[in-house]
Amino acid sequence: MKTRSEELLVFVAVIDCGSISAAAEQMGQTPSAVSRTLSRLEGKLGTTLVNRTTRRMDLTEEGRFFLERARVILEQMDDMEERLSMNRQTPSGRLRINAAAPFMLHAILPWIGEFRQQYPAIELELNTDDLIIDLLEQSTDVAIRIGELADSSLHARSLGCSPVQVLASPEYLARHGTPEQVEDLSGHNLLGFSSPESLNQWPLRHAQGDRWPIRPQLIASSGETLRQLAIAGEGIVSLSHFMTHEDIRAGRLQVLLGEHNNGYRQPIHAVYYRNTQLALRIQCFLDFIQKKLAIYAC
C-alpha cells in the first residue's frame, strides 16, 4: 500500500507538536484517530518511526530519515498549490514569520493591519525569539535577523539597514548632565547587552578608533528591556533606530554624541531555506516590509 499525504501530515504534526494529543488538537482530530494513522503509516513502511511511551516520544533512526523526506514532500506539495495560486495572482496560505521581540514589536506589528488589508488570503503566524532558531524545526517560513549574518546554508535577502545611536532620556540628562565628548561616558550609567559582546562596542569615533567599548553598569539580554530602562532614566544606551525612532520623535529619548557617530548601520536580513523560487506569500511579505523599513534608515 502506498503512503498518503494525510499520513505524512499526521506524522510531521506529531513530531512538531511533541505528542499525539497535541497533534490531534492542532489537526482537529481525536487522539485515537491520530494514533491509528501513525500506526497505519508504520505498518505500510514496515518499520517503527517513533518509540512511544507514556511519558515521551523519540524518533528512531528510520523516523529521522523519514521525517526529513516527509518535510520535503509536503513543502513540494505546498509549492504546487502555491503555483496555482500564483496563476490567479492571489497570494494565500499560512505565512510563519519569526523575529526578535523588539523588531517584531517596533518594525513589523505597526504594519500588520495594512499588510492584511492588501493580502487578506494570507494567514499570518508571528513568533518571536531572541536566539537563532532552526527554521525547519520551528516550522518557520522566514526569519528576520538583525546584524551581521554568520556563514550558514540559509538563503538571505537584504531588507535594508538601521543606524545605531547613543541615547538617553531628558530626565537622566537633567540629573547627570549631557556628555559632550566620547570620553565623558566613563562618568555615566551605561546600559549594555549581556550578549553578544559586540553590541557593547558603541559606534563612536574617538582618538583610539571608531568603536567605544563600554563597561555597562546594568546589562540585559533584550534590546526592548534596555529601551524601557533608558526611557525610565536609568542610563545611557546604544540601540538601533528601528526601535527608538518613535521615542526620539516624541522626546522620550535624545540622541547623544551625534557628531562622533561613525555611521554604522545594522544590516537587516530575511533568511529562509527554500532553494527554489520563493512562494508568492513570502515574496509579497518581503517586498512589503522592505518598503516599510526604508523609513528607519534615517
Side-chain angles (χ1 to χ4, degrees):
M1 296 177 67
K2 294 183 178 180
T3 302
R4 297 184 299 173
S5 60
E6 311 92 87
E7 293 165 342
L8 297 184
L9 285 168
V10 166
F11 171 62
V12 172
V14 168
I15 302 308
D16 288 344
C17 294
S19 70
I20 288 176
S21 58
E25 183 177 352
Q26 181 188 80
M27 303 187 74
Q29 299 184 23
T30 64
S32 59
V34 169
S35 181
R36 285 195 302 271
T37 300
L38 186 57
S39 296
R40 183 170 65 248
L41 175 61
E42 291 177 321
K44 288 180 179 180
L45 297 173
T47 189
T48 299
L49 300 175
V50 184
N51 288 322
R52 303 184 279 281
T53 69
T54 56
R55 295 194 171 190
R56 58 183 296 175
M57 302 179 64
D58 292 313
L59 280 170
T60 63
E61 190 65 31
E62 293 78 10
R64 281 190 288 272
F65 173 86
F66 190 73
L67 177 64
E68 182 179 342
R69 273 90 185 151
R71 290 192 192 279
V72 172
I73 292 169
L74 292 174
E75 182 176 312
Q76 289 173 342
M77 293 176 65
D78 284 343
D79 282 343
M80 286 189 290
E81 293 178 3
E82 192 70 35
R83 294 296 176 265
L84 295 175
S85 177
M86 288 175 69
N87 290 337
R88 298 192 301 272
Q89 293 300 302
T90 307
S92 62
R94 182 170 294 277
L95 175 58
R96 303 170 182 88
I97 302 165
N98 182 281
F103 192 84
M104 184 69 75
L105 180 62
H106 297 284
I108 294 181
L109 291 188
W111 309 110
I112 288 300
E114 183 178 339
F115 180 80
R116 295 184 67 200
Q117 211 168 25
Q118 288 187 28
Y119 304 104
I122 295 179
E123 303 169 12
L124 288 174
E125 180 179 317
L126 306 177
N127 298 305
T128 59
D129 202 313
D130 290 328
L131 302 175
I132 301 300
I133 65 164
D134 184 317
L135 271 64
L136 288 180
E137 186 177 298
Q138 299 293 331
S139 300
T140 295
D141 293 304
V142 61
I144 311 297
R145 292 291 171 254
I146 313 300
E148 305 297 336
L149 289 180
D151 292 337
S152 76
S153 60
L154 295 175
H155 293 264
R157 168 176 164 176
S158 174
L159 298 179
C161 56
S162 179
V164 176
Q165 298 160 310
V166 177
L167 307 145
S169 70
E171 292 75 16
Y172 174 86
L173 298 175
R175 294 197 312 270
H176 300 278
T178 301
E180 301 295 338
Q181 301 297 325
V182 176
E183 291 75 10
D184 295 342
L185 291 172
S186 59
H188 283 270
N189 298 324
L190 306 183
L191 311 177
F193 286 86
S194 53
S195 66
E197 184 57 34
S198 60
L199 294 177
N200 293 328
Q201 302 279 327
W202 288 6
L204 296 171
R205 293 189 302 268
H206 54 99
Q208 284 74 45
D210 64 356
R211 287 274 180 173
W212 182 261
I214 68 161
R215 294 186 62 182
Q217 284 73 44
L218 193 159
I219 61 174
S221 61
S222 168
E224 180 61 21
T225 300
L226 294 176
R227 170 182 167 268
Q228 294 287 349
L229 287 168
I231 292 173
E234 293 300 323
I236 299 176
V237 73
S238 178
L239 293 172
S240 195
H241 190 66
F242 74 80
M243 64 185 301
T244 59
H245 69 287
E246 285 292 339
D247 299 319
I248 296 169
R249 185 186 61 80
R252 291 185 291 268
L253 293 174
Q254 294 180 205
V255 177
L256 305 179
L257 302 168
E259 67 278 14
H260 297 282
N261 194 295
N262 67 14
Y264 172 70
R265 283 164 163 71
Q266 278 188 322
I268 303 172
H269 288 93
V271 295
Y272 47 89
Y273 269 116
R274 289 175 185 253
N275 295 316
T276 57
Q277 180 181 354
L278 278 180
L280 184 58
R281 62 186 182 277
I282 299 176
Q283 187 71 49
C284 288
F285 175 78
L286 295 183
D287 290 344
F288 175 88
I289 204 64
Q290 184 170 19
K291 292 178 182 177
K292 298 304 180 183
L293 290 178
I295 71 169
Y296 305 130
C298 81

